[in-house]
Amino acid sequence: MSMQVTKPLICSLLLSTFSVPALAEQYRHIADPLNLSDSLYVGFDGDVLKVGGSLATSHQKFSGNTNTGGDKWHLGYLYSTDQWHLRASIDHGKTDTPDGRSSHYQYQLGLMHEHKGWLNTQVFTELAVNHLAVKSYTDSTAANASMTVLKPITEHWYSELYASANAGIDGVERFDARAWLAMGYQVNLQWSWVIRYQYDWEKLENIESDDTQWVFAVRSQF
């Protein structure tokens, strides 16, 4: 075999050897919070229809969702590299006050860490700080810690466990927590459905409330 044929052949083999792991690293599960893919989301949060989606580049993702009433919505931003995963978000919702439920805005900034455990389990932990502004009531700044455990069970089935807690750090008595357990089915790389049971608890000053609900959603990525 001549050198003119051998050199291109060797180069192509080397390129294919290095490109396979690179392509493999680009794939992330559809439920992975660090998944940098464009996506769509449609689901029922309790008995309320919610829609959302995301637009992504190689290192960034802009996401959002809202219920059909428009009184509860979320905007998120992710900047992700091999070492750092910076997340920022704005949430609009409702909080119990002495005068009834009032609108609030919550602004959060945090850093997420990814850990790959046994049997393809992925664990995501985040430390953050957030500021809650409740209309005509109070403002509060809190420290936040959260954890997401993503476990593929079979080729299609997967489970999610999520837990998050806030604690006030500015003198305002504020504690709240959220947890959910979900089961999902990934039809293919692009489509998945998920059902989860969610619990929320909140204490702000002398007002305490909790809530449970079922969530059903269909996800797609492309």
Side-chain angles (χ1 to χ4, degrees):
M1 185 179 292
S2 67
M3 290 297 294
Q4 291 180 337
V5 175
T6 303
K7 286 183 178 179
L9 181 59
I10 293 174
C11 290
S12 64
L13 287 172
L14 287 173
L15 286 172
S16 64
T17 301
F18 287 105
S19 63
V20 170
L23 290 173
E25 286 295 318
Q26 293 176 6
Y27 169 75
R28 282 189 176 271
H29 195 279
I30 196 169
D32 191 323
L34 299 178
N35 188 333
L36 292 173
S37 298
D38 298 334
S39 66
L40 292 174
Y41 170 99
V42 179
F44 284 93
D45 192 341
D47 58 353
V48 180
L49 180 65
K50 180 182 285 187
V51 295
S54 64
L55 293 174
T57 66
S58 59
H59 293 289
Q60 301 179 81
K61 181 169 70 174
F62 301 87
S63 60
N65 62 66
T66 181
N67 64 5
T68 50
D71 60 337
K72 292 183 179 181
W73 50 260
H74 167 90
L75 294 176
Y77 171 76
L78 166 67
Y79 184 82
S80 180
T81 67
D82 292 339
Q83 290 80 28
W84 299 98
H85 309 291
L86 175 69
R87 304 211 309 172
S89 64
I90 303 174
D91 284 278
H92 179 261
K94 300 286 187 178
T95 297
D96 288 330
T97 72
D99 298 322
R101 291 181 65 79
S102 296
S103 296
H104 76 241
Y105 289 90
Q106 180 172 279
Y107 310 89
Q108 179 161 303
L109 181 65
L111 282 175
M112 176 170 279
H113 172 72
E114 176 185 11
H115 173 72
K116 296 184 178 180
W118 292 352
L119 302 175
N120 296 322
T121 301
Q122 292 174 270
V123 180
F124 305 89
T125 54
E126 182 178 18
L127 295 177
V129 62
N130 62 55
H131 182 77
L132 177 70
V134 184
K135 184 178 180 181
S136 303
Y137 184 50
T138 187
D139 285 15
S140 169
T141 301
N144 172 271
S146 66
M147 179 180 68
T148 303
V149 180
L150 174 61
K151 170 60 179 169
I153 302 172
T154 67
E155 181 182 354
H156 296 286
W157 290 98
Y158 63 93
S159 64
E160 293 176 81
L161 174 65
Y162 174 82
S164 175
N166 286 309
I169 57 175
D170 63 349
V172 176
E173 187 179 8
R174 175 185 165 206
F175 301 96
D176 57 81
R178 167 174 288 184
W180 74 59
L181 180 62
M183 182 67 68
Y185 185 83
Q186 188 166 354
V187 181
N188 51 41
L189 295 180
Q190 285 74 42
W191 291 95
S192 169
W193 61 261
V194 64
I195 185 169
R196 79 181 188 220
Y197 183 69
Q198 179 174 308
Y199 174 76
D200 295 281
W201 174 79
E202 180 181 25
K203 180 176 174 58
L204 183 59
E205 298 290 329
N206 296 319
I207 300 173
E208 185 174 347
S209 61
D210 63 352
D211 181 49
T212 58
Q213 58 187 316
W214 287 94
V215 177
F216 176 78
V218 176
R219 296 165 165 160
S220 69
Q221 65 176 2
F222 47 91

